[in-house]
Amino acid sequence: MTAPSLAPSLPAIPVCPVEEMGLRELERIRLILRGGSVIDWRRMHFSSRDEVDGFLRLCQIDVSRPFDDVWVRTILADAVAYLRRTFDYRVADAVARPKEVHDLFLYASGVGGGRYRRIACIVLKVMHVIQHIEGRDLLFRLAASEAEVAELVTQRVLGVAREMRERELPVVEFAHSIKTRESLVTKLIAKKETVAAQVYDRTRFRIVTKRREDLLPVLYFLSQRLFPFNFVVPGQTENSLISFRELLEVYPNFERCIPDLHLDRDFEDREEREGNVFSGSGYRVLNFVVDLPLRMDAYLPPPGEDSRDRKGRIVFALVEFQMMDEDTARGNEQGENAHENYKRRQRRRVLGRLSRGLVVPKRKP
């Protein structure tokens, strides 16, 4: 017997205009824009229990349900044991066994004083990694096909797309696609790392906003309703569209946040980044990949009948998002930027790799 989906409901939230964003929003947006990792952060930015609860629900966790609370505390205990065993860390009982799981996030944000902030941050980072390991392990063990997981992803993402339309966000296109087997083969041969796990965009969603300035509020809305900001896959972002430095210069509310940033304002300018080598020189896009959390209750016994030693119910599915504004989208389909020219350059690379050192037969007349 399988259980129906127990995905938590999310509280209603307002759309946050860029002019009203502060340090919390700026750091989360920057993480997505540069494809960074939350492991490098020094603190969290939660200010209330309700905010933490909304974030946990976005992660598909509802700790008001005993079995979800037990699972989070299992991950917490594993993280604390790892730190004590590996580094001989002294983890305070308030962090190792908080009255509520929410307290851990508030400690890491410095709420109520900074006494436990550093150790709470360290514990949360380890929990983040352990949760990913557990989710991957569960996905491999479940009798769920790749097509079924892709369908769950599509349902969840398109549900948020409907909400965006109902709330009249300035989105003119929200489309999804799944790569064909031929496209996967071509991409894998074109890449130096010919490993199937390195293909992140089997399931891809393209989002086009009306204007360039609409991208940030739409992006932040997605990070509140669809994917938690910390699940952006590090190193897999291509951003030739939104300059972080320009954001600080254009919006005075962001400039005030500069002294408290995790990374200095010029960090992106010093990074060496290689864009997609097959794209045209004028191609502009914000392309990023997330590990989308999915509850798999339909493939598992009901919580009260679950006899597994490890009772995780959440897996992660890699999903690519491609964002741009309407003018940029038009420019990306012209001249050398056109998709057919992109595919031609990619196929040329593939043929070169396949035929290197070999004699390639000429075509028959």
Side-chain angles (χ1 to χ4, degrees):
M1 178 181 178
T2 58
S5 175
L6 296 172
S9 59
L10 294 174
I13 57 167
V15 177
C16 187
V18 181
E19 293 78 8
E20 296 179 11
M21 293 181 180
L23 179 63
R24 173 185 61 192
E25 292 82 11
L26 181 60
E27 287 285 21
R28 294 176 181 181
I29 286 172
R30 188 184 198 182
L31 189 79
I32 300 170
L33 294 182
R34 60 177 295 269
S37 171
V38 75
I39 301 297
D40 299 318
W41 280 19
R42 302 189 302 272
R43 67 182 300 152
M44 296 291 104
H45 302 284
F46 297 98
S47 59
S48 69
R49 183 191 182 282
D50 287 345
E51 188 184 334
V52 174
D53 197 66
F55 172 76
L56 289 172
R57 288 170 179 267
L58 187 60
C59 296
Q60 301 295 286
I61 297 169
D62 180 1
V63 292
S64 68
R65 299 185 294 215
F67 53 88
D68 272 12
D69 185 66
V70 168
W71 176 245
V72 175
R73 290 181 183 276
T74 299
I75 299 298
L76 170 57
D78 287 353
V80 171
Y82 166 81
L83 291 169
R84 287 172 172 168
R85 183 173 57 249
T86 307
F87 303 106
D88 200 25
Y89 257 110
R90 284 193 282 180
V91 182
D93 283 348
V95 174
R97 292 187 292 274
K99 183 178 180 181
E100 284 192 307
V101 170
H102 307 73
D103 296 337
L104 189 59
F105 293 83
L106 296 175
Y107 290 149
S109 304
V111 174
R115 181 180 179 187
Y116 301 123
R117 180 176 64 80
R118 290 182 178 86
I119 189 61
C121 278
I122 292 170
V123 169
L124 281 174
K125 290 176 182 182
V126 179
M127 290 177 66
H128 172 74
V129 174
I130 293 175
Q131 174 71 346
H132 268 85
I133 293 173
E134 293 286 346
R136 291 285 181 222
D137 182 67
L138 178 60
L139 183 60
F140 290 142
R141 293 171 183 270
L142 288 180
S145 68
E146 187 174 302
E148 289 174 307
V149 174
E151 180 60 26
L152 291 174
V153 168
T154 301
Q155 290 176 7
R156 187 166 171 206
V157 176
L158 293 186
V160 173
R162 287 192 295 273
E163 182 181 355
M164 294 171 72
R165 284 196 299 271
E166 291 167 0
R167 300 183 69 164
E168 299 182 343
L169 269 74
V171 174
V172 297
E173 180 184 340
F174 201 130
H176 75 284
S177 61
I178 298 177
K179 276 193 177 297
T180 63
R181 181 172 293 274
E182 289 76 13
S183 294
L184 289 174
V185 172
T186 299
K187 183 162 187 174
L188 282 170
I189 297 176
K191 290 164 64 76
K192 291 182 180 179
E193 307 88 354
T194 52
V195 180
Q198 297 295 328
V199 177
Y200 292 101
D201 59 349
R202 285 186 177 90
T203 305
R204 177 172 56 193
F205 294 86
R206 170 183 159 100
I207 304 169
V208 180
T209 63
K210 192 169 184 60
R211 302 169 303 164
R212 179 78 61 90
E213 52 265 39
D214 297 326
L215 286 166
L216 281 192
V218 170
L219 176 63
Y220 191 68
F221 185 83
L222 288 172
S223 73
Q224 291 180 296
R225 303 303 285 177
L226 181 58
F227 58 83
F229 66 92
N230 56 308
F231 288 159
V232 171
V233 179
Q236 294 301 319
T237 292
E238 179 187 350
N239 177 19
S240 52
L241 191 57
I242 303 175
S243 164
F244 181 74
R245 190 180 174 89
E246 288 179 7
L247 291 182
L248 300 180
E249 295 171 354
V250 171
Y251 297 100
N253 51 310
F254 285 159
E255 192 168 6
R256 292 193 293 269
C257 302
I258 292 174
D260 298 315
L261 291 171
H262 291 293
L263 303 170
D264 67 82
R265 66 184 299 169
D266 302 320
F267 187 87
E268 283 81 354
D269 297 336
R270 299 193 301 272
E271 283 189 300
E272 292 184 7
R273 288 185 171 271
E274 181 182 344
N276 192 319
V277 296
F278 306 115
S279 297
S281 59
Y283 189 83
R284 298 290 179 264
V285 70
L286 169 60
N287 208 93
F288 59 95
V289 180
V290 301
D291 257 327
L292 188 68
L294 298 169
R295 287 197 70 105
M296 303 300 286
D297 301 286
Y299 295 86
L300 293 165
E305 302 172 20
D306 196 342
S307 60
R308 295 174 301 146
D309 292 334
R310 307 291 289 182
K311 292 182 171 55
R313 309 183 76 82
I314 300 169
V315 302
F316 296 94
L318 289 165
V319 187
E320 182 190 35
F321 291 90
Q322 186 182 83
M323 296 185 67
M324 64 194 76
D325 60 277
E326 208 168 15
D327 286 343
T328 300
R330 282 193 289 267
N332 284 347
E333 290 301 324
Q334 297 176 7
E336 66 170 344
N337 297 332
H339 186 67
E340 184 51 44
N341 291 329
Y342 169 93
K343 299 302 290 185
R344 186 179 297 113
R345 290 188 288 267
Q346 189 182 52
R347 288 193 294 267
R348 190 180 300 132
R349 165 72 68 87
V350 169
L351 183 59
R353 291 198 75 193
L354 289 175
S355 62
R356 189 166 296 155
L358 301 172
V359 177
V360 179
K362 292 182 180 180
R363 292 183 178 179
K364 294 181 180 180

